[in-house]
């Protein structure tokens, strides 16, 4: 159920996030552009330090100083939000963009009951009286699959199990019916059996309410089960973006291909795993040219000097010189 | 015990004391509270084998590892390593000789190396501690060899841990564990803190080393795909008990215990299962609080096959074909009909 | 399969930089160079410490040598005032002692005393803190309750207490001789708690880290684990406390001496000098106490500023 080609809900163009250091600014997110359509689930994958979480944080205006947006624009339904002042952005967050973080404990206030926090959030963003807001809180808890909501609404976060807490966080995120949810590793802290429950819940939200979801995770399995499209990030840049089956079954970029091949599976042969030698460069040592070139098995000579841009190639956008209409077949 | 058994764990128990402080207990009349992190775990590992323990958080798999390497003292049961009951060893010397032959690789490569020591000193520590190498030049050579063994360069010995990435640190950790020529390597989630492409490097390295050095692994992980790739035999744990032991091939093709089935059904897959659109209804419920485990079979509240016997009588690990399963339903043959239709997910609401 | 080294570095690794180069390149030095206040403080501290070390060589007069004193020159004002003489640049006190020399010798003594007290309390506190944090249980409870009791008495009170006991037990002659040691002990006893608490806290955190467990699995002797692994990792924040405690210790010594229970007038520290001068303040001979006072203030301020900088430099969150 890939969404129709409509006006994008979120448009990120040439986003650049920098962190100042004693040896000049380091670029953590470099020239990242993508769209999310209403009702679409966009998966953003990459290894730790690839810039995927920072991209999410930049969109919701929660970059931790000294990190800052150094260029580009973020547009939500036609309105620029990266230039909004803090207070206005705070209203956008929650009302128009819901946020789900990895650790449910850090997103919930341990001193207040779950109901209090839900009512608070509902009343901040929607024009509701306290009775009405409590009714909405109850229906939200029911919606995220918490049984006996009337009883559970007056419990404190520590009285919930890990999976139930993450459900509460999701209820908070959808309290004001936002059109976009940014979920940063929402299932990483959970056990597998609970993970599956949360994935199912996120998918249902997208389907029932047309909520778009930007799902940031390092777990390709979660992406495969949830996302419509996938953006693969490496060293702060998107190296490939396309439909989920295309990325998983027929990856174009050598990094995507290596990443997919290195994922252990639970069936098939059990010999050696495919591996990508070396490690992702640190921010202060991103190589010239294509950032992946020192590890790339298909490196061309120009990869060492020219940085490839993300350009359409077949059914995906790829940032790789191998997929240029006119390519140089000179292997290095 | 057959000759090729290197490690035997018999009815291992470990209880954590989670009682309130002594004064509170007296003032409020509360008793001691213990969590049975391990409640009677038995298994054995053959020489040269890769035995894995898998389970969700709180199932006790890490506790088993820590009891074996001596970080925790078991509350009951015994651990027999190469014919020697470790619990009986009183003298430091005898203990130290056994310790040398069992080493551990830890989960967090950022915490398992002393940040103020150079890599050379870290890797040399077992050699120095057990006085295996006393000559300085020889020590240097040996550390260089160890680093090369894990595909680092001898010159890396002069650096500090923070100069390395997570995967490289895990290599250093493996080099240290290998320094004293151990027979058994206990690996506690060695790749769960690593990115997937680096995880593949480490798993491949561990496989190579096992083949080359004839090592025996006890491998702990919550990641079923990793377990499938690396193990010969697998033990599945739930709430401090082993529920199923089988070869990896058997376990992943024909899981017997309902909990194993649940685990296998819920892992997110890259490829959509045949005949369905990738939509699978997940199983409800979570692992219960280990302070008050359910009576009988600990899994019965989530089990679709639970009956009165499951709720009251704890199943023991019995031989079913050539594997071990602790499940009344399997032993009574109630499960056989389910095995015929592998795609009916276990449900309980 | 590639046989590349996993570090991704070419086989010929460049020679590792010399220690000195690493120091010049370090973040510590960088943060130092970015803080002018710290640099000024460091210069002042260095000048004071240098002067204290070289006192016997640079002081115009030996204030302990009673033969060199002349009552005729008593209470001479500083050189730039009327009746002042360049023989005594900062004037003289009531006994004809050169104030500049007295201040130099006093600073030397104060620094010596402060350092000894801090080192002693450091050793005591770190040892007890390590034991408490490592062993836990009843040992920990015992040590920390003693520390709690200790903390509820102000340092001055403890020092006065010890001083009182010494005075009532020992003859006067011995008292003067050992007053230096008594003062050091009194200060050390009141400051070990800071060290012990911090060390215990970080020991309990580090104890559960995997590198300590790794050492245990290897079979390293517990004493070696504590000294070789634990100590180097808990000592960083302690050095910051030590610097700040040095300032406090010097100040406490000055207070004790000012109150008359510290060092005797025959061996004047800065505090003693201020006390002596205090009697003459109202009669217009201000220089006798003001100059030791300025020396004390500069010393404390520079040491404190250095301590603050160290704390910030070691704390990555504030950087």
């Amino acid at each position: 159920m890939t969404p129709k080609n409509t006006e994008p809900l979120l448009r990120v163009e040439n986003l650049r996030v920098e962190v100042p250091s004693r040896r000049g600014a380091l670029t953590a997110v470099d020239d990242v552009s993508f769209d999310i359509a209403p009702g679409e689930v966009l998966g953003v994958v990459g290894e730790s330090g690839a810039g995927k979480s920072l991209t999410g944080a930049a969109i919701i205006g929660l970059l931790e100083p000294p990190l800052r947006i150094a260029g580009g624009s973020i547009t939500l339904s036609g309105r620029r939000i990266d230039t909004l002042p803090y207070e206005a952005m705070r209203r956008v967050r929650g009302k128009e963009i819901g946020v789900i973080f990895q650790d449910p404990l850090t997103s919930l206030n341990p001193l207040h009951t779950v109901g209090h926090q839900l009512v608070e959030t509902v009343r901040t963003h929607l024009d509701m009286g306290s009775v009405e807001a409590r009714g909405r809180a109850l229906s939200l808890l029911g919606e995220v699959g918490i049984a006996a909501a009337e009883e559970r609404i007056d419990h404190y976060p520590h009285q919930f199990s890990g999976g139930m807490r993450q459900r509460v966080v999701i209820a908070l995120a959808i309290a004001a019916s936002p059109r976009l949810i940014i979920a940063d590793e929402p299932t990483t802290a959970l056990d597998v059996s609970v993970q599956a429950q949360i994935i199912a819940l996120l998918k249902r939200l997208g389907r029932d309410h047309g909520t778009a979801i930007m799902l940031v995770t390092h777990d390709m399995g979660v992406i495969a089960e949830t996302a419509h499209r996938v953006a693969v990030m490496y060293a702060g840049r998107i190296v490939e973006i396309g439909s989920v089956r295309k990325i998983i079954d027929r990856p174009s970029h050598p990094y995507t291909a290596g990443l997919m091949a290195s994922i252990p599976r639970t069936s098939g042969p059990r010999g050696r795993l495919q591996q990508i030698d070396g490690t992702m460069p640190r921010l202060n040592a991103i190589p010239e040219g294509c950032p992946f070139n020192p590890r790339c098995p298909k490196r061309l000579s120009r990869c060492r000097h020219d940085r490839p841009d993300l350009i359409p190639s077949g059914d995906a956008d790829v940032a790789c010189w191998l997929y240029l209409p006119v390519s140089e077949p000179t292997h290095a | 015990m057959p000759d090729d058994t290197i490690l035997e764990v018999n009815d291992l128990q470990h209880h954590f004391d989670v009682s309130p402080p002594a004064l509170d207990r007296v003032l409020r009349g509360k008793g001691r509270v213990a969590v049975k992190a391990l409640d009677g775990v038995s298994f054995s590992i053959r020489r040269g084998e890769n035995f894995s323990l898998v389970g969700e958080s709180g199932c006790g798999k890490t506790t088993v590892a820590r009891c074996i390497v001596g970080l925790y003292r078991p509350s009951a049961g015994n651990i027999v390593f190469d014919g020697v009951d470790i619990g009986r060893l009183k003298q430091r010397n005898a203990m130290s000789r056994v310790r040398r032959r069992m080493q551990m690789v830890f989960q967090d490569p950022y915490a398992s190396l002393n940040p103020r020591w150079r890599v050379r000193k870290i890797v040399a520590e077992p050699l120095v501690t057990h006085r295996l190498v006393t000559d300085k030049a020889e020590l240097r050579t040996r550390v260089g060899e160890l680093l090369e063994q894990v595909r680092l360069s001898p010159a890396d010995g002069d650096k500090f841990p923070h100069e390395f990435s997570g995967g490289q640190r895990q290599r250093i950790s493996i080099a240290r564990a290998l320094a004293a020529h151990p027979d058994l390597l206990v690996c506690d989630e060695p790749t769960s803190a690593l990115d997937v492409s680096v995880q593949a490097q480490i798993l491949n390295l561990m496989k190579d080393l096992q083949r080359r050095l004839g090592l025996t692994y006890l491998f702990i992980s919550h990641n079923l795909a990793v377990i499938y790739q690396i193990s010969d035999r697998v033990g599945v744990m739930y709430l401090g008990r082993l529920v199923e032991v089988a070869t990896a091939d058997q376990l992943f093709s024909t899981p017997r215990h309902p909990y194993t089935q649940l685990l296998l059904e819920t892992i997110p897959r890259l490829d959509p299962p045949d005949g369905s659109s990738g939509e699978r209804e997940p199983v409800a419920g979570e692992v219960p609080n280990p302070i008050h485990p359910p009576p009988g079979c600990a899994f019965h509240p989530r089990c679709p096959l639970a009956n009165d016997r499951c709720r009251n009588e704890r199943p023991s690990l019995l031989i079913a074909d050539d594997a071990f399963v602790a499940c009344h339903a399997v032993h009574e043959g109630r499960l056989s009909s389910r095995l015929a239709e592998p795609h009916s997910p276990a449900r309980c609401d | 399969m590639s046989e590349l080294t996993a570090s991704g570095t070419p086989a010929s690794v460049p020679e590792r930089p010399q220690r000195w180069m690493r120091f010049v390149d370090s973040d510590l030095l960088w943060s130092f160079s970015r803080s002018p206040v710290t640099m000024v403080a460091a210069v002042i501290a260095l000048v004071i410490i240098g002067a204290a070390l070289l006192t016997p060589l640079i002081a115009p007069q030996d204030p302990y040598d009673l033969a060199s004193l002349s009552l005729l020159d008593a209470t001479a004002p500083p050189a730039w005032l009327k009746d002042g003489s360049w023989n005594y640049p900062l004037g003289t006190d009531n006994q004809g002692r050169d104030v500049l020399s007295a201040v130099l010798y006093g600073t030397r003594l104060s620094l010596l005393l402060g350092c000894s007290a801090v080192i002693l309390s450091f050793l005591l506190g770190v040892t007890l803190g390590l034991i408490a944090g490592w062993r836990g249980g009843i040992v920990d409870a015992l040590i920390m309750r003693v520390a709690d009791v200790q903390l509820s008495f102000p340092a001055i009170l403890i020092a006065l207490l010890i001083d009182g006991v010494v005075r009532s037990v020992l003859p006067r002659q011995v008292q003067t001789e050992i007053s230096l040691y008594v003062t050091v002990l009194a200060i050390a006893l009141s400051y070990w708690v800071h060290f012990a608490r911090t060390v215990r806290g970080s020991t309990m955190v580090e104890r559960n880290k995997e590198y300590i467990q790794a050492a245990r699995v290897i079979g390293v002797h517990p004493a070696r684990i504590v000294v070789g692994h634990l100590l180097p990792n808990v000592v960083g924040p302690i050095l910051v406390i030590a610097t700040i405690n040095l300032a406090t210790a010097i100040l406490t010594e000055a207070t004790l001496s000012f109150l008359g229970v510290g060092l005797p007038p025959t061996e004047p520290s800065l505090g003693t000098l201020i006390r002596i001068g205090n009697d003459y303040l109202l009669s217009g001979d201000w220089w006798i106490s003001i100059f030791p006072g300025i020396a004390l203030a500069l010393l404390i301020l520079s040491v404190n500023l250095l301590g603050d900088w160290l704390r910030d430099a070691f704390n990555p969150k504030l950087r």
Side-chain angles (χ1 to χ4, degrees):
Chain A
M1 56 154 293
T2 317
K4 314 288 166 297
N5 220 347
T6 44
E7 181 69 13
L9 174 68
L10 178 80
R11 166 161 281 172
V12 175
E13 278 176 308
N14 311 103
L15 178 68
R16 187 179 167 87
V17 173
E18 286 184 349
V19 53
S21 85
R22 51 185 278 210
R23 290 178 224 281
L26 301 175
T27 309
V29 173
D30 190 4
D31 199 18
V32 161
S33 306
F34 60 88
D35 294 344
I36 302 182
E40 184 184 36
V41 180
L42 175 76
V44 179
V45 284
E47 304 182 41
S48 47
K52 54 190 193 306
S53 289
L54 291 182
T55 306
I59 292 169
I60 53 179
L62 284 182
L63 280 177
E64 258 185 54
L67 285 160
R68 62 192 183 85
I69 296 180
S73 67
I74 302 166
T75 320
L76 184 71
S77 345
R79 172 185 176 212
R80 264 192 85 161
I81 56 169
D82 56 315
T83 47
L84 286 179
Y86 183 83
E87 263 309 303
M89 193 58 212
R90 203 176 59 83
R91 277 194 296 277
V92 169
R93 213 159 43 226
K95 177 94 180 74
E96 292 170 66
I97 307 179
V99 185
I100 303 167
F101 288 116
Q102 171 174 348
D103 183 1
L105 266 187
T106 56
S107 326
L108 295 172
N109 186 335
L111 298 178
H112 293 302
T113 62
V114 161
H116 178 94
Q117 300 180 47
L118 276 167
V119 167
E120 195 85 325
T121 310
V122 168
R123 296 195 62 188
T124 308
H125 298 295
L126 305 175
D127 185 23
M128 277 191 187
S130 59
V131 178
E132 203 184 346
R134 189 177 164 89
R136 166 130 183 106
L138 280 172
S139 71
L140 283 168
L141 286 178
E143 173 147 22
V144 296
I146 291 180
E150 285 86 358
E151 184 195 333
R152 300 292 266 166
I153 192 168
D154 292 319
H155 286 183
Y156 288 88
H158 73 256
Q159 292 169 294
F160 288 81
S161 64
M164 286 297 154
R165 261 184 231 134
Q166 195 61 300
R167 286 171 192 269
V168 174
V169 171
I170 294 175
L172 277 170
I174 61 170
S177 315
R179 281 167 293 170
L180 174 69
I181 290 178
I182 309 255
D184 188 356
E185 305 273 6
T187 59
T188 306
L190 306 173
D191 281 323
V192 248
S193 61
V194 183
Q195 224 175 48
Q197 300 166 5
I198 299 296
I199 292 173
L201 174 60
L202 283 176
K203 282 165 78 169
R204 192 161 49 76
L205 289 176
R207 205 169 43 218
D208 295 356
H209 300 282
T211 314
I213 299 176
M214 175 175 160
L215 178 65
V216 176
T217 180
H218 68 277
D219 190 334
M220 269 319 287
V222 172
I223 294 277
E225 301 245 338
T226 323
H228 302 120
R229 281 196 307 140
V230 187
V232 182
M233 291 191 71
Y234 185 83
R237 318 187 109 223
I238 293 182
V239 295
E240 184 165 2
I241 183 167
S243 80
V244 64
R245 290 317 328 165
K246 146 79 189 161
I247 296 287
I248 290 176
D249 300 334
R250 292 169 289 113
S252 298
H253 196 283
Y255 172 67
T256 318
L259 186 70
M260 293 305 146
S262 65
I263 298 171
R265 319 216 171 192
T266 49
S267 55
R270 305 201 290 135
R272 283 183 72 86
L273 289 162
Q274 287 272 341
Q275 63 180 54
I276 313 174
D277 287 320
T279 46
M280 194 168 69
R282 295 184 184 189
L283 284 188
N284 57 8
I286 296 178
E288 196 193 344
C290 171
F292 186 61
N293 87 71
R295 300 173 72 189
C296 185
K298 297 179 177 171
R299 180 175 56 185
L300 309 172
S301 60
R302 75 179 298 184
C303 297
R304 276 188 257 184
H305 311 293
D306 298 342
R307 190 158 283 199
D309 285 322
L310 202 59
I311 49 162
S313 157
D315 46 357
D317 290 358
V318 190
C320 177
W321 292 124
L322 289 172
Y323 297 93
L324 211 59
V326 202
S327 65
E328 292 173 80
T330 45
H331 279 266
Chain B
M1 189 197 298
D3 262 347
D4 64 343
T5 298
I6 188 164
L7 183 82
E8 196 176 297
V9 173
N10 293 314
D11 197 27
L12 191 66
Q13 308 225 0
H14 185 75
H15 302 170
F16 286 107
D17 190 357
V18 290
S19 322
L23 199 61
D24 273 28
R25 287 206 304 273
V26 175
L27 289 178
R28 302 189 185 172
K30 284 185 182 166
R32 286 190 166 274
V33 187
V35 175
K36 290 182 178 174
L38 292 180
D39 192 7
V41 170
S42 308
F43 60 88
S44 63
I45 305 179
R46 287 188 281 270
R47 202 176 289 278
E49 180 183 43
N50 192 328
F51 183 81
S52 294
L53 288 176
V54 66
E56 296 178 278
S57 55
C59 72
K61 52 192 192 300
T62 294
T63 313
V64 172
R66 299 190 159 206
C67 284
I68 289 172
V69 296
L71 285 172
Y72 293 158
R73 191 175 287 277
S75 310
N78 58 14
I79 299 164
V80 182
F81 178 76
D82 210 10
V84 183
D85 185 341
I86 303 177
R88 298 255 169 91
L89 295 177
K90 292 282 176 271
Q91 282 177 313
R92 262 198 75 81
N93 271 347
M95 195 67 198
S96 152
R97 273 198 297 279
V98 178
R99 283 269 177 84
R100 185 185 68 73
R101 299 179 52 202
M102 285 194 286
Q103 283 302 310
M104 184 155 174
V105 177
F106 290 85
Q107 171 174 6
D108 183 357
Y110 294 88
S112 60
L113 307 174
N114 187 338
R116 293 185 187 267
W117 282 22
R118 278 182 207 285
V119 168
R120 183 179 309 292
K121 195 174 172 188
I122 292 173
V123 174
E125 193 173 26
L127 299 170
V128 174
T129 302
H130 296 290
R131 297 197 181 77
L132 299 175
V133 178
T134 43
D135 180 61
K136 237 181 166 177
E138 199 189 329
L139 194 66
R140 212 180 162 82
T141 323
R142 181 83 186 102
V143 170
E145 288 167 9
L146 284 163
L147 287 173
E148 277 179 331
Q149 204 163 48
V150 296
R151 315 259 157 77
L152 291 170
S153 99
D156 288 335
D158 291 323
K159 298 185 190 163
F160 285 96
H162 69 84
E163 298 174 58
F164 294 90
S165 69
Q168 292 167 337
R169 287 187 215 201
Q170 206 59 306
R171 288 168 196 270
I172 297 169
S173 197
I174 293 172
R176 171 178 62 188
L178 293 177
H181 291 297
D183 299 304
L184 174 70
L185 217 53
V186 178
C187 311
D188 183 10
E189 304 255 15
T191 61
S192 64
L194 305 176
D195 283 312
V196 63
S197 71
V198 180
Q199 165 174 286
Q201 294 173 6
I202 297 295
L203 291 178
N204 285 340
L205 174 70
M206 292 182 68
K207 278 186 183 178
D208 292 348
L209 289 171
Q210 177 167 38
R211 208 173 33 237
R212 206 136 40 93
L213 306 173
L215 294 167
T216 308
Y217 286 149
L218 169 58
F219 196 94
I220 314 278
S221 181
H222 69 279
N223 185 331
L224 285 155
V226 168
I227 293 274
Y228 176 73
Q229 290 295 333
I230 200 157
S231 320
D232 298 317
R233 279 195 312 140
V234 183
V236 181
M237 291 187 70
Y238 188 76
L239 270 184
R241 302 171 192 177
L242 263 175
V243 296
E244 180 166 3
V245 179
T247 65
D249 289 324
Q250 246 179 344
L251 192 91
F252 283 84
S253 59
T254 48
R256 305 184 73 96
H257 197 284
Y259 176 62
T260 314
Q261 295 175 349
L262 180 153
L263 274 185
L264 290 180
E265 273 158 14
T266 48
I267 16 175
R269 274 170 223 281
L270 288 185
D271 328 292
D274 307 326
S276 78
S277 59
E279 300 284 319
R280 291 184 287 111
E281 196 55 38
V283 191
E286 288 182 47
V287 181
N289 185 338
I291 298 181
H292 307 292
C297 171
F299 185 61
H300 83 253
R302 302 172 74 186
C303 183
L305 300 165
N307 63 10
D308 279 344
R309 188 178 173 206
C310 301
R311 285 185 266 276
N312 298 310
E313 186 189 331
R314 178 177 162 180
S316 49
L317 204 60
L318 288 180
I319 295 183
D321 299 337
D322 55 341
F324 301 83
V325 184
C327 176
H328 294 311
V330 173
H331 300 150
E332 292 167 9
R334 278 188 278 143
L335 195 64
S336 51
S337 61
R338 281 177 40 80
L339 279 176
E341 30 170 347
H343 280 300
S344 78
R347 272 202 196 90
C348 72
D349 295 307
Chain C
M1 276 313 104
S2 143
E3 286 298 320
L4 271 174
T5 57
S7 56
T9 46
S12 62
V13 176
E15 197 123 310
R16 99 182 129 100
Q18 299 299 307
R19 262 166 207 278
W20 172 247
M21 282 312 292
R22 270 218 315 276
F23 173 70
V24 168
D25 199 43
S26 70
D27 286 339
L28 206 63
L29 199 70
W30 182 71
S31 92
F32 183 77
S33 68
R34 298 235 312 180
S35 163
V37 175
T38 310
M39 287 168 84
V40 171
V43 168
I44 294 175
L46 278 178
V47 167
I48 294 177
I49 291 168
L53 288 175
L54 300 174
T55 294
L57 301 177
I58 59 172
Q61 194 190 52
D62 180 358
Y64 300 136
D65 183 7
L66 294 176
S68 69
L69 303 186
S70 151
L71 275 177
L72 290 175
D73 291 334
T75 63
W80 61 88
L81 291 181
K82 193 167 146 300
D83 298 335
S85 138
W86 282 106
N87 286 339
Y88 305 111
L90 299 182
T92 60
D93 69 0
N94 58 321
Q95 297 174 39
R97 218 172 356 205
D98 173 34
V99 170
L100 176 62
S101 307
V103 165
L104 282 170
Y105 273 93
T107 308
R108 180 182 161 91
L109 202 57
S110 285
L111 261 177
L112 175 76
L113 234 141
C115 287
S116 322
V118 166
I119 290 171
L120 197 63
S121 60
F122 181 92
L123 291 177
L124 194 67
V126 169
T127 312
L128 288 175
L130 275 176
I131 293 174
W134 179 256
R135 294 292 299 274
I138 188 89
V139 179
D140 176 35
L142 209 69
I143 292 176
M144 291 331 284
R145 288 304 82 74
V146 171
D148 286 346
V149 171
Q150 177 93 74
L151 212 58
S152 56
F153 291 101
I156 302 283
L157 203 61
I158 292 170
L160 285 172
L161 204 73
I162 295 178
D163 190 77
V165 172
V166 169
R167 268 168 204 265
S168 60
V169 172
L170 297 177
R172 192 168 180 78
Q173 178 58 34
V174 186
Q175 270 175 36
T176 316
E177 270 173 30
I178 65 161
S179 63
L180 185 88
Y181 305 101
V182 171
T183 314
V184 167
L185 187 72
I187 298 171
L189 274 184
S190 29
Y191 284 113
W192 69 271
V193 179
H194 300 276
F195 293 104
R197 290 202 149 193
T198 316
V199 170
R200 171 180 174 265
S202 25
T203 299
M204 290 173 75
V205 172
E206 298 290 321
R207 186 181 64 176
N208 291 321
K209 287 209 179 148
E210 287 180 346
Y211 69 89
I212 299 287
Q213 291 171 351
R216 287 175 61 194
V217 171
I218 288 168
V220 182
H221 194 280
R224 268 187 85 117
I225 296 182
V226 172
V227 177
H229 286 281
L230 209 52
L231 192 58
N233 283 292
V234 299
V235 91
I238 307 299
L239 289 177
V240 179
I241 300 188
T243 325
I244 291 170
N245 265 9
L246 175 63
T248 326
I250 292 172
L251 210 56
T252 309
E253 180 274 321
T255 316
L256 288 174
S257 299
F258 184 78
L259 292 175
V261 291
L263 298 186
T266 46
E267 278 178 88
S269 70
L270 289 176
T272 322
L273 289 173
I274 296 171
R275 175 170 63 102
I276 295 170
N278 190 41
D279 298 340
Y280 297 88
L281 210 52
L282 292 177
S283 57
D285 304 334
W286 50 269
W287 55 89
I288 305 180
S289 67
I290 290 296
F291 288 117
I294 290 175
L296 184 65
L298 279 178
L299 180 60
I300 303 292
L301 191 66
S302 59
V303 171
N304 260 332
L305 286 172
L306 282 177
D308 276 356
W309 161 73
L310 262 184
R311 187 192 56 207
D312 294 352
F314 273 126
N315 185 349
K317 279 205 175 142
L318 291 175
R319 219 179 271 167

